Amino acid sequence: MNLALWTVLRSVRARWGALVITVLAVALATATALVVPLVTRQVERGAQDAAQVFDLLVAAPGSSTQAVMSSLFYLEAPTGNMPERVYTALRDAPGTRRAVPIALGDTYQGFPIVGTSAAFFDQRKRPADPPYFRLTQGTLFAKEHDAVLGARAAREAGLRVGDTFTGTHGLTGPEEAEAHDEAHDEPYTVTGILAPTGGPVDRAVLTPIETVWEVHGAASSEREVTAVLYAAEQLSGIYVTAQRINAGQDAMAVFPGQVFAQARDVLVQGQAAYAALALLVLGIAALTVWLSVYTSGVERQRTVALLRVLGTGRRVVFLLVLFETGLTVLLGVGLGIGLALILSLTGGQVLGTHLGFTLAPPQLTWPLVLRVLLLLPFGLAAALPPAVLATRLSPLKLL
């Protein structure tokens, strides 16, 4: 058996070029089948994590998706503003655990300046958990024009506690902000810097909501908020509040989980089409394996004949052919899984930078692994005819 294995390995070494091509074809097919599902799952997990600290988003009437993208991720223009009384009514309503106002409208070097209240820093994933946002430097804001910076905003803007800066009017990107000339006169003072969370707040500049009202010259009767992050004491209170809000004209209540579910349904439809494409690619890889096995079967005839002369039985010859094919497929699948993880990790970092929140590392699940391991039985099935022919080969015809 050892001699037979040594002879086969020598034969494989002689055909290494064709085998490398086969392994690469299997690896590329495997990576193609895995990358999009892995990245999609990263985005889903990152988006869900960003909305775990409140139950309900209250925003101006309009698109619920736009409301989430603007008030939660700071990626789009808001649906509009609401009268301040919407916020105060929610804050003072029985059964309210927390109502956090959000006011948008200005930026600094492309980072959104978010007007809010001290309740923002008391948000928690669960009531018994510690606050989700914590400081690494300085203190929370105490007066108008104080600012607490997210970790990424502080790092990329080069600001430290005690530094001052002036905001720019409008929700502009970094390039537009540099060319924008509508800067506010009164500077902000950095009082604190938050620890990284991996969420959109990492790129936010947080200031008392009174600052936003003051810089925009809003009188007491004209004060507005962009959104309210609402949390109730009881689960039933969330739905009662949502019904009451949606029955009025001033605002709409949005469940972020429902928005994510709708987006996921769209992604699932796209993934179904991608899965069909992935199966096609896997099928092409299986065909490549079959062609490789067939070609190598012709080339290995002299090796098989030599093995038979040396006393190797038909069963051993049969198993050696299957072993060579199985090893080729497994090497390709293993290389493809590694390539898919590297690509999804890199792609997730790039995508997270554009989305404004950190994506979790790719998570490989057994259903995904089993999808690509289908290549193994396909490859072994492709190796059966050459393996059977090898057992029937007469050494006398070739030696």
Side-chain angles (χ1 to χ4, degrees):
M1 181 64 182
N2 292 336
L3 180 60
L5 185 59
W6 179 84
T7 304
V8 170
L9 291 177
R10 293 279 295 182
S11 175
V12 168
R13 183 179 178 182
R15 294 180 287 103
W16 71 270
L19 289 176
V20 166
I21 293 175
T22 303
V23 169
L24 288 178
V26 173
L28 290 175
T30 300
T32 302
L34 293 179
V35 167
V36 169
L38 286 174
V39 174
T40 300
R41 181 56 184 151
Q42 286 177 267
V43 174
E44 289 177 359
R45 289 162 58 198
Q48 290 169 357
D49 288 346
Q52 289 185 10
V53 294
F54 65 95
D55 302 320
L56 194 67
L57 174 66
V58 179
S63 166
S64 58
T65 301
Q66 183 180 353
V68 170
M69 296 301 289
S70 62
S71 300
L72 182 57
F73 296 104
Y74 317 127
L75 293 176
E76 291 187 11
T79 54
N81 289 324
M82 308 174 294
E84 182 193 11
R85 65 174 180 273
V86 175
Y87 157 62
T88 55
L90 287 169
R91 181 194 62 193
D92 300 335
T96 296
R97 173 181 291 122
R98 190 184 309 108
V100 180
I102 298 292
L104 303 173
D106 295 337
T107 59
Y108 173 67
Q109 294 189 7
F111 298 109
I113 296 178
V114 182
T116 186
S117 69
F120 185 95
F121 305 102
D122 191 44
Q123 296 182 94
R124 308 159 189 259
K125 286 187 174 182
R126 289 180 293 270
D129 288 349
Y132 186 73
F133 303 105
R134 60 183 181 84
L135 290 166
T136 56
Q137 300 177 40
T139 61
L140 299 179
F141 52 64
K143 62 182 184 301
E144 292 182 15
H145 291 279
D146 284 353
V148 175
L149 274 58
R152 179 181 167 188
R155 182 179 67 252
E156 295 187 9
L159 293 174
R160 295 178 295 180
V161 173
D163 290 346
T164 60
F165 64 93
T166 55
T168 301
H169 180 68
L171 300 173
T172 56
E175 297 81 3
E176 296 168 309
E178 293 178 359
H180 214 293
D181 59 1
E182 294 187 32
H184 296 296
D185 295 329
E186 190 166 350
Y188 292 84
T189 301
V190 179
T191 63
I193 297 175
L194 294 174
T197 63
V201 174
D202 285 355
R203 47 184 290 272
V205 176
L206 303 167
T207 189
I209 194 169
E210 291 81 7
T211 306
V212 177
W213 293 334
E214 188 269 331
V215 298
H216 290 93
S220 298
S221 60
E222 300 173 344
R223 290 177 175 177
E224 294 179 321
V225 297
T226 304
V228 179
L229 310 181
Y230 177 81
E233 294 287 355
Q234 302 292 332
L235 180 62
S236 59
I238 303 172
Y239 296 98
V240 171
T241 300
Q243 290 176 354
R244 185 175 72 250
I245 292 292
N246 289 329
Q249 302 294 323
D250 293 330
M252 68 174 178
V254 178
F255 289 96
Q258 292 182 353
V259 175
F260 296 150
Q262 293 170 359
R264 188 177 186 280
D265 290 341
V266 175
L267 290 174
V268 166
Q269 294 176 7
Q271 283 192 50
Y274 180 82
L277 176 62
L279 287 176
L280 177 61
V281 174
L282 291 174
I284 294 174
L287 179 61
T288 303
V289 172
W290 180 83
L291 290 173
S292 175
V293 172
Y294 177 80
T295 304
S296 61
V298 175
E299 295 176 354
R300 74 160 66 88
Q301 287 183 352
R302 292 183 64 85
T303 302
V304 171
L306 179 60
L307 291 174
R308 295 295 308 281
V309 168
L310 293 175
T312 304
R314 296 177 185 270
R315 180 172 176 272
V316 174
V317 170
F318 180 82
L319 292 177
L320 285 174
V321 175
L322 294 184
F323 172 76
E324 179 184 326
T325 304
L327 182 61
T328 302
V329 174
L330 285 177
L331 284 175
V333 169
L335 181 61
I337 290 175
L339 181 61
L341 290 174
I342 292 173
L343 289 175
S344 57
L345 181 61
T346 304
Q349 291 175 345
V350 173
L351 188 59
T353 300
H354 289 288
L355 292 177
F357 57 90
T358 302
L359 301 187
Q363 190 175 54
L364 193 62
T365 60
W366 277 111
L368 289 177
V369 174
L370 292 176
R371 178 187 298 181
V372 295
L373 283 180
L374 287 175
L375 278 173
L376 183 58
F378 287 155
L380 293 178
L384 285 176
V388 172
L389 289 176
T391 61
R392 296 178 179 178
L393 183 68
S394 174
L396 299 178
K397 293 182 180 180
L398 297 171
L399 298 177

